[in-house]
Amino acid sequence: MNNRFEQFERITREKEGFIKEMGMELLALEEGYCKGRIVLKEKHTNPMGSAHGGLVFALADTIGGMAAMSYGDNVVTLNASVCFLNPAIDTEYIDAEATVVRDGRTTAIYDVMVRTTEEVDIAKVTLTYYKVM
């Protein structure tokens, strides 16, 4: 495992805050790429029993941000576009996989696919991050 993976994985496991509270797990990290998941629990669902859209977005934003920071820059979310495709119902996990579209001098763009354990597409999220120097 690389040092950046170990650092981010420790943050998701140990640091008190939203990431830990939601139960996000880091699965893989390389330059320009990150994969993570959440074990879907009742507290994560909307009144209809599917994963709450805010949770889906939060996972995508977190995993996309980690992918953007994999190059060594700190980032903040500048813009995001979410296309919800299917509900996440009766699944153990929701997974997010972020890939780099463009890594520029001051901004970075990432596509994040969010899927169920059964590989059903839940959402496609495109995020623009601003690099905080």
Side-chain angles (χ1 to χ4, degrees):
M1 288 186 207
N2 63 44
N3 288 340
R4 201 71 163 157
F5 178 91
E6 291 171 0
Q7 175 189 6
F8 288 175
E9 196 274 332
R10 189 174 55 254
I11 288 169
T12 61
R13 219 177 350 96
E14 297 174 2
K15 186 171 175 159
E16 293 299 325
F18 185 75
I19 292 171
K20 184 176 178 182
E21 180 66 28
M22 290 298 101
M24 295 182 194
E25 300 174 47
L26 182 62
L27 302 175
L29 180 71
E30 299 170 14
E31 282 194 346
Y33 173 84
C34 188
K35 184 172 184 178
R37 70 180 178 190
I38 291 179
V39 176
L40 193 59
K41 298 181 179 177
E42 187 174 345
K43 71 178 183 177
H44 298 131
T45 60
N46 62 27
M48 289 146 315
S50 66
H52 191 283
L55 177 79
V56 171
F57 175 77
L59 177 62
D61 185 35
T62 300
I63 297 305
M66 287 183 180
M69 290 189 295
S70 68
Y71 291 105
D73 299 304
N74 288 322
V75 300
V76 294
T77 306
L78 186 63
N79 189 42
S81 172
V82 182
C83 184
F84 291 102
L85 305 168
N86 289 292
I89 299 175
D90 298 325
T91 188
E92 185 176 1
Y93 298 101
I94 55 172
D95 298 309
E97 189 169 22
T99 55
V100 64
V101 174
R102 178 182 185 278
D103 185 58
R105 186 176 56 79
T106 59
T107 61
I109 301 171
Y110 281 78
D111 279 339
V112 183
M113 283 303 302
V114 183
R115 296 181 175 96
T116 67
T117 306
E118 299 76 23
E119 296 290 319
V120 174
D121 291 341
I122 300 168
K124 180 179 185 288
V125 184
T126 300
L127 297 128
T128 302
Y129 295 99
Y130 178 74
K131 295 181 179 184
V132 181
M133 306 299 171

